[in-house]
Amino acid sequence: DYTSVDAGGSLNVKTGGDLTTGNLTINTTGTAAIDGAAKVTTDTTVFGSLNVNQTGALDTATLGIGSGGIANIAGLTNIGRATTPGNLNATALLVGQGGAFQTKDLKVNDGGTISNRGDIKVVGNYTQEAGSIYEIGAANKAGDLAKIVADTATINGGTVLIDTKGVKGGKHVIVETLLGLTGEYEKYTARTDSGYVRALLDYDEYNAYFILNLSSNFAAAALTRNQQAELWWSICAYHD
């Protein structure tokens, strides 16, 4: 089965109602409001607007949000294997460039994956558990990394995967909180495509950072300032 909300159309699953479908696509300027129960056995794709309200529950394999798409979840979002049902329950959350996702609380459980190139906002707590993945790439043409913005964050392990294609050098915030961050990721992997680039994670009491800069091998390869500048831009040319 396949359910499509076309441009200018609307879908409303009312309180006490239910919807079961194979795929759900909300196209540009289409809207969907979930106040009852919706089960999507494969993918939910949003280019318009999706609202899962306090009385609603959306279960889907993957929630993907494309450019111009907006998803608002009134309560808990569970990604991965969860013990407590949320208003949104999915295996993976994919937010593309120009997409936006907002939820009250976000928990990335064992087996869950977030892939972020857009805007993720949590108006509560963001929790990352062991066995989960947070994958990040460039959010815009300026080369800034995408990030999660939350009131608080609790990181109990998990893996960070960073695609540096299109990402400028320097220090990037990947998790930003208003009230504080505790814990660290268990491990991270960054694809740099160059032995002259060094990548690492860093933390303070509020934020988690990804740092992309030149390694100690760089000085040996280019002795003058002009040579360093030319080599740096040649290393980063694939970013464009």
Side-chain angles (χ1 to χ4, degrees), residues 89-150:
N89 305 285
T91 301
L93 171 64
L94 315 178
V95 183
Q97 284 190 357
F101 177 83
Q102 180 170 307
T103 185
K104 184 179 184 298
D105 293 296
L106 172 60
K107 190 171 185 181
V108 190
N109 302 285
D110 179 30
T113 297
I114 290 181
S115 179
N116 188 19
R117 303 289 190 286
D119 178 17
I120 297 179
K121 184 176 182 181
V122 183
V123 291
N125 189 59
Y126 154 59
T127 304
Q128 184 104 20
E129 298 289 2
S132 63
I133 294 173
Y134 176 27
E135 193 270 341
I136 324 167
N140 51 45
K141 292 182 178 180
D144 300 307
L145 265 179
K147 63 183 177 182
I148 294 174
V149 178

Side-chain angles (χ1 to χ4, degrees), residues 184-199:
E184 295 184 2
Y185 294 101
E186 180 182 1
K187 57 184 177 180
Y188 73 95
T189 299
R191 182 179 66 80
T192 63
D193 287 356
S194 173
Y196 296 114
V197 175
R198 184 170 64 109

Side-chain angles (χ1 to χ4, degrees), residues 4-89:
S4 177
V5 182
D6 294 330
S10 63
L11 170 69
N12 188 0
V13 181
K14 296 182 178 180
T15 304
D18 64 83
L19 168 71
T20 300
T21 186
N23 284 279
L24 172 61
T25 300
I26 305 166
N27 292 299
T28 304
T29 71
T31 63
I34 310 297
D35 289 286
K39 184 174 182 179
V40 181
T41 55
T42 53
D43 298 335
T44 300
T45 307
V46 181
F47 297 101
S49 174
L50 168 67
N51 290 284
V52 181
N53 299 313
Q54 284 286 358
T55 59
L58 171 61
D59 294 333
T60 185
T62 298
L63 174 61
I65 304 171
S67 179
I70 300 172
N72 290 292
I73 314 302
L76 170 64
T77 292
N78 274 315
I79 306 298
R81 292 183 284 271
T83 56
T84 303
N87 295 88
L88 170 65
N89 305 285

